[in-house]
Amino acid sequence: MVKSLFNVIKTIDGDSWIYNTLTSSFIKIASETWGSLPDSSDKELLQVLHREGILVDDNETEILKYKYFCYSKIFNNTKLSLAIAPTMKCNFDCPYCFEGDHKTFSKMSEEIENALVLFIEKQYEQKKNIHLTWFGGEPLLAFDTILSICTKLDNKEVVYSSDIITNGSLLKEEIVEKLHYLHITRIQITLDGTADTHNQRRHYKNGNPSFDDIINNIDILLNKTDIKLIIQVGVDNSNPYAYQELYNFMHDKYPSYLNNKRMQIGCNNIRNRTNFDGCQSCFTDKQIFDKNIENLKENKYDVLIPRLPGLNLPCMFRTTNSFAIDSQGNIYKCLEYLGIPELKIGNVCEGQISFSKMANTVFGNSPFNDTECCSCNVFPICGGGCPIDRNRNKGKSTKTYCTYYKKYLSEMLPYLYEYRRNNKS
């Protein structure tokens, strides 16, 4: 036996903390004992560590195991996931929006609607599990288009579920009352803090505040439906405590909905990946680490407490059953490509997808062909980084797509171990 490639280790004095990023096994062991492995005479200990994947028969096999997990996800064709932008236009002007200037396409035409419905219908003949995510732009600017598409799918007896990602400003009563026609399971809304903070960052294009409108619409949604609501809080150096402030506000206003999980509030720490305007406010990895340690010690807001990361499996870009479609019917392999026709892999009106482009997204610049990635102990929780970032960095000497965990996971292990030990249910 040998030690796993995927052991992340932190040693302090006589203790070592080991987390295996492939199996998620986490142990604390005497450093002397760890140093003697795998040649220890303690057969029982060796069996336990082998079962947990901390000791392995050979390193090549564990790489193949992770590859197997990834390719099982890549080629799982039992379901279809579509992110559909019925319009790329938006009524907000958020500084960190990754779509930038790619918000020019107006509402989807009826011709494209019909082609989209036919595309989904053909997929349904092969895959019985279909899920739609209504995206944008601001998708509710084209609610009539969404409703029309859903009605046509129902008429063709296509079974599906859906969710919607919206800024929440247009969830008026007349729309909320029709949401059941969309087979909606959940709605995601972004609030970047309480009124003053949110309105500085997420305002209408004319500069008018949006917070009160969104809260009024949330009231309507919660009272008139049983749809699950996810609130996402975008946080950076310009609003570092926005999550705490918003959580307290929401807990005072909607305690029962938070307690029964009907409403959940998540936190998105904004990092700079695309050099957007305002990226100077983004958190650095060191700041994220410091925040994580602080939250572990405070143990106050559950969502802010870092957890040990699990396996990173392929995203939309590399999987064969997940696509994004813009209001012109263009088909893409990433939400970040929406509204950029030169990056499309097909169009619903053409009824086909470029096989060569699909093959390139699956296999091109694969991290499994990258010896540095395959020998990295955080590879299973990183997956080689965002495929788009890998492509942007191809041929460059400095890699910018490596995960935060590469540098900081080992430093977090003693804190995470102590937290888990003190908070066992």
Side-chain angles (χ1 to χ4, degrees):
M1 288 187 288
V2 295
K3 291 179 179 178
S4 169
L5 277 174
F6 302 133
N7 290 329
V8 177
I9 306 159
K10 178 65 178 179
T11 297
I12 301 177
D13 298 327
D15 292 318
S16 292
W17 290 260
I18 297 95
Y19 179 66
N20 188 276
T21 56
L22 181 65
T23 65
S24 299
S25 298
F26 189 24
I27 65 167
K28 180 182 179 182
I29 192 171
S31 299
E32 183 178 356
T33 303
W34 177 249
S36 71
L37 296 173
D39 299 321
S40 171
S41 60
D42 188 338
K43 302 301 182 185
E44 185 177 349
L45 174 63
L46 292 176
Q47 287 179 349
V48 170
L49 295 180
H50 184 264
R51 186 179 65 240
E52 297 298 317
I54 291 171
L55 295 179
V56 298
D57 295 324
D58 65 87
N59 297 133
E60 183 180 358
T61 298
E62 60 180 346
I63 295 173
L64 293 176
K65 286 180 179 178
Y66 179 50
K67 191 173 185 178
Y68 180 89
F69 293 143
C70 288
Y71 278 72
S72 295
K73 171 76 180 298
I74 286 172
F75 293 109
N76 176 9
N77 282 321
T78 62
K79 61 181 180 180
L80 174 70
S81 298
L82 296 180
I84 303 171
T87 178
M88 290 300 297
K89 292 187 177 297
C90 186
N91 58 339
F92 275 22
D93 187 20
C94 306
Y96 53 76
C97 181
F98 66 78
E99 290 173 354
D101 297 326
H102 305 301
K103 297 182 185 176
T104 56
F105 293 163
S106 58
K107 195 166 63 171
M108 189 177 284
S109 68
E110 187 170 5
E111 177 189 2
I112 295 171
E113 265 186 52
N114 292 334
L116 174 61
V117 170
L118 182 60
F119 176 82
I120 296 172
E121 184 184 19
K122 287 182 177 179
Q123 294 289 320
Y124 180 63
E125 293 172 358
Q126 306 167 45
K127 307 174 183 69
K128 297 301 181 184
N129 187 346
I130 293 181
H131 186 80
L132 312 179
T133 295
W134 301 105
F135 195 72
E138 169 46 49
L140 293 183
L141 285 170
F143 181 73
D144 56 337
T145 299
I146 297 174
L147 187 59
S148 175
I149 292 169
C150 290
T151 301
K152 291 171 182 176
L153 289 173
D154 285 343
N155 290 339
K156 291 179 176 291
E157 300 184 341
V158 173
V159 178
Y160 66 95
S161 60
S162 74
D163 61 71
I164 188 165
I165 299 173
T166 171
N167 61 37
S169 66
L170 301 175
L171 272 174
K172 307 298 183 184
E173 187 168 357
E174 58 270 22
I175 287 180
V176 170
E177 290 179 341
K178 297 176 182 176
L179 289 176
H180 65 279
Y181 292 114
L182 279 52
H183 306 278
I184 290 276
T185 58
R186 74 172 201 167
I187 292 177
Q188 178 179 309
I189 296 173
T190 299
L191 288 168
D192 280 357
T194 49
D196 289 345
T197 304
H198 172 90
N199 288 333
Q200 290 177 16
R201 296 159 61 89
R202 296 183 63 82
H203 47 73
Y204 293 104
K205 284 190 178 295
N206 61 8
N208 287 344
S210 65
F211 184 83
D212 288 344
D213 290 344
I214 297 170
I215 294 299
N216 289 336
N217 293 341
I218 287 174
D219 285 341
I220 295 169
L221 178 72
L222 293 174
N223 289 325
K224 289 189 170 290
T225 76
D226 59 0
I227 296 171
K228 186 175 183 178
L229 176 62
I230 309 296
I231 304 292
Q232 277 297 119
V233 186
V235 181
D236 59 23
N237 281 307
S238 68
N239 66 336
Y241 297 102
Y243 177 88
Q244 294 91 323
E245 294 166 0
L246 184 70
Y247 182 91
N248 294 338
F249 173 88
M250 290 297 203
H251 192 271
D252 290 341
K253 188 172 180 62
Y254 306 111
S256 63
Y257 293 114
L258 281 170
N259 291 335
N260 66 17
K261 308 291 187 184
R262 165 81 189 282
M263 175 192 290
Q264 295 182 15
I265 306 177
C267 184
N268 176 30
N269 291 313
I270 301 174
R271 297 176 171 90
N272 178 27
R273 288 182 47 251
T274 57
N275 292 318
F276 58 87
D277 291 340
C279 66
Q280 63 274 9
S281 296
C282 291
F283 287 130
T284 65
D285 284 352
K286 178 61 166 61
Q287 289 175 316
I288 297 291
F289 171 74
D290 291 339
K291 280 164 59 71
N292 281 336
I293 299 305
E294 179 183 350
N295 290 326
L296 278 167
K297 291 177 178 178
E298 288 185 353
N299 190 16
K300 187 174 181 182
Y301 297 94
D302 185 66
V303 169
L304 297 184
I305 297 169
R307 265 69 176 181
L308 286 163
L311 280 184
N312 184 303
L313 295 177
C315 64
M316 174 190 289
F317 189 87
R318 293 209 189 271
T319 54
T320 59
N321 61 359
S322 187
F323 306 96
I325 301 174
D326 69 18
S327 58
Q328 303 299 298
N330 296 318
I331 304 171
Y332 306 90
K333 289 303 295 172
C334 183
L335 293 176
E336 292 191 20
Y337 285 174
L338 278 168
I340 313 176
E342 57 266 30
L343 298 178
K344 69 180 181 179
I345 62 168
N347 187 286
V348 294
C349 293
E350 299 166 0
Q352 60 183 4
I353 293 170
S354 168
F355 179 65
S356 60
K357 291 181 179 180
M358 276 288 291
N360 193 264
T361 63
V362 172
F363 299 109
N365 202 10
S366 170
F368 289 103
N369 296 329
D370 186 327
T371 55
E372 184 176 346
C373 284
C374 288
S375 62
C376 179
N377 61 358
V378 296
F379 183 36
I381 59 174
C382 165
C386 167
I388 292 178
D389 290 345
R390 288 185 66 86
N391 290 336
R392 288 182 182 133
N393 279 257
K394 192 172 183 179
K396 297 181 180 179
S397 57
T398 303
K399 293 184 177 180
T400 61
Y401 50 79
C402 291
T403 175
Y404 153 88
Y405 291 118
K406 185 171 184 176
K407 183 175 181 179
Y408 290 103
L409 181 56
S410 62
E411 298 300 314
M412 292 173 60
L413 292 182
Y415 300 96
L416 289 165
Y417 189 89
E418 194 67 19
Y419 173 81
R420 284 160 66 102
R421 192 184 71 169
N422 294 332
N423 292 275
K424 287 183 176 179
S425 55

